[in-house]
Amino acid sequence: MCWDISLHTDIELVKVSYPKIRDERKKKDYNYDYFENVQAITFPEYPIIMKDKDSDGLALVDMEWGVLPTYIQDPKLQDNRRRSMVNARSERILDDKKSYWYRLRNQRCLIPVSGTYEHRKINGWKKKVPYYIAEKGRDIFYIPGLYQWHETVDQDGVVEKLGSFGMLTRAANDVMAQIHNDGPNKHRMPLFLPEDLEKLWISHNISEDDMRAIFHFEMPKDSLIYHPVYTLRGYPNRPDDKHRYEPFNWDGLPPLGKDKPVENTLF
């Protein structure tokens, strides 16, 4: 399951990809150090490209990561359920017409990222090693998602419209299966797409057959860059003072595909 993403390139590059987009963000001055590792577990606010449900327009808006299950009233149960709605399995969206995701299928969005992170289990090591993954040759790219709007009322009776989104995933390709090799959602990866399919996903006239074609696209491993990085959890400082997404040399880390037990006192 993809719970960590990075946006360390200028968000204004979105306007190069989509020149006619409306910028409706509440806050436009970003701390890109913070955006180097955005974790879904806290339902963070994040900029996404939203396709208006009833028009051809696109808007850059702030929404929270993790679709809010508005059908659940208890706050604790709602949060628990929401954690499972951070990501959406693309292969299930059209096949279960009673699902929440099917109802959102026409509320499509793109999630701008510089890259994503995933954790690899190493035999004999206590903790997993995080990897940074990105598309080759692209400073910023876009992962497809689904969004929804809902309304909240504060203690003063003021109604506010809020948005939330989920990221689409698919079965992992060869290299991602070796990195995301453990856990209840192992062998999954974000639905990485080439530029033409990104634009198709966010277009107004898209059929369910088009959607299926997008869901079946598998990004070739040769189109990705990937390398181990320093620990992400708990926001620890890197001992070398480099950015979170830069390569980190873990002593004794076996190459992908060779997960033999290795001694490592750092874990």
Side-chain angles (χ1 to χ4, degrees), residues 43-62:
F43 312 128
E45 198 170 70
Y46 192 87
I48 67 162
I49 301 172
M50 177 196 75
K51 184 199 76 66
D52 289 335
K53 184 178 179 181
D54 301 315
S55 77
D56 291 329
L58 299 177
L60 183 62
V61 299
D62 294 324

Side-chain angles (χ1 to χ4, degrees), residues 227-231 238-240 246-251 253 266:
H227 53 250
V229 297
Y230 192 65
T231 303
R238 281 185 60 145
D240 56 11
E246 294 187 77
F248 185 81
N249 182 31
W250 289 105
D251 184 33
L253 179 68
L266 296 178

Side-chain angles (χ1 to χ4, degrees), residues 196-210:
D196 60 330
L197 293 185
E198 291 170 351
K199 293 184 186 302
L200 178 59
W201 177 253
I202 207 73
S203 66
H204 185 62
N205 296 315
I206 179 174
S207 68
E208 290 195 0
D209 287 341
D210 292 329

Side-chain angles (χ1 to χ4, degrees), residues 120 122-123 125 131 250 252-260 262:
R120 173 189 174 200
I122 309 297
N123 292 328
W125 292 25
Y131 276 67
W250 289 105
L253 179 68
L256 291 176
K258 298 183 179 180
D259 292 345
K260 295 180 180 179
V262 177

Side-chain angles (χ1 to χ4, degrees), residues 12-222:
E12 296 298 315
L13 289 175
V14 169
K15 298 172 185 177
V16 176
S17 302
Y18 299 93
K20 296 181 180 180
I21 196 168
R22 303 188 313 275
D23 193 340
E24 298 182 356
R25 292 172 295 157
K26 302 173 219 172
K27 181 181 177 182
K28 300 182 181 180
D29 294 325
Y30 288 169
N31 177 356
Y32 284 98
D33 289 339
Y34 167 79
F35 274 95
E36 284 183 12
N37 179 25
V38 180
Q39 298 182 355
I41 194 70
T42 59
F43 312 128
E45 198 170 70
Y46 192 87
I48 67 162
I49 301 172
M50 177 196 75
K51 184 199 76 66
D52 289 335
K53 184 178 179 181
D54 301 315
S55 77
D56 291 329
L58 299 177
L60 183 62
V61 299
D62 294 324
M63 289 194 183
E64 292 180 352
W65 190 2
V67 169
L68 185 72
T70 53
Y71 54 88
I72 298 176
Q73 301 303 313
D74 181 272
K76 186 175 181 180
L77 294 177
Q78 192 180 66
D79 275 359
N80 288 338
R81 176 59 179 151
R82 189 178 186 183
R83 290 187 183 94
S84 69
M85 300 181 76
V86 165
N87 299 148
R89 288 180 174 245
S90 59
E91 56 267 48
R92 294 180 180 176
I93 291 171
L94 297 178
D95 294 335
D96 183 1
K97 292 183 169 50
K98 295 182 179 179
S99 75
Y100 205 79
W101 297 117
Y102 184 77
R103 285 190 285 167
L104 298 181
R105 70 192 184 283
N106 291 321
Q107 293 167 219
R108 300 185 300 279
C109 65
L110 291 174
I111 305 158
V113 298
S114 308
T116 69
Y117 300 97
E118 196 50 79
H119 290 76
R120 173 189 174 200
K121 181 180 179 180
I122 309 297
N123 292 328
W125 292 25
K126 293 180 180 179
K127 293 186 179 181
K128 299 178 184 179
V129 174
Y131 276 67
Y132 174 77
I133 305 102
E135 292 189 19
K136 283 183 180 177
R138 303 186 70 184
D139 292 328
I140 192 167
F141 59 98
Y142 307 92
I143 301 172
L146 297 172
Y147 73 89
Q148 73 169 11
W149 290 109
H150 61 274
E151 290 184 344
T152 61
V153 182
D154 65 19
Q155 59 185 5
D156 298 320
V158 176
V159 177
E160 184 178 11
K161 187 178 179 182
L162 299 175
S164 56
F165 69 92
M167 177 185 292
L168 268 56
T169 67
R170 59 152 291 134
N173 63 14
D174 289 345
V175 71
M176 288 298 295
Q178 294 177 58
I179 296 173
H180 190 191
N181 63 351
D182 187 59
N185 292 290
K186 67 180 181 180
H187 299 160
R188 302 291 300 175
M189 65 183 283
L191 183 56
F192 296 130
L193 297 175
E195 291 183 66
D196 60 330
L197 293 185
E198 291 170 351
K199 293 184 186 302
L200 178 59
W201 177 253
I202 207 73
S203 66
H204 185 62
N205 296 315
I206 179 174
S207 68
E208 290 195 0
D209 287 341
D210 292 329
M211 290 187 194
R212 287 187 189 280
I214 290 172
F215 297 157
H216 281 98
F217 178 83
E218 180 180 301
M219 182 64 72
K221 63 181 181 181
D222 292 341

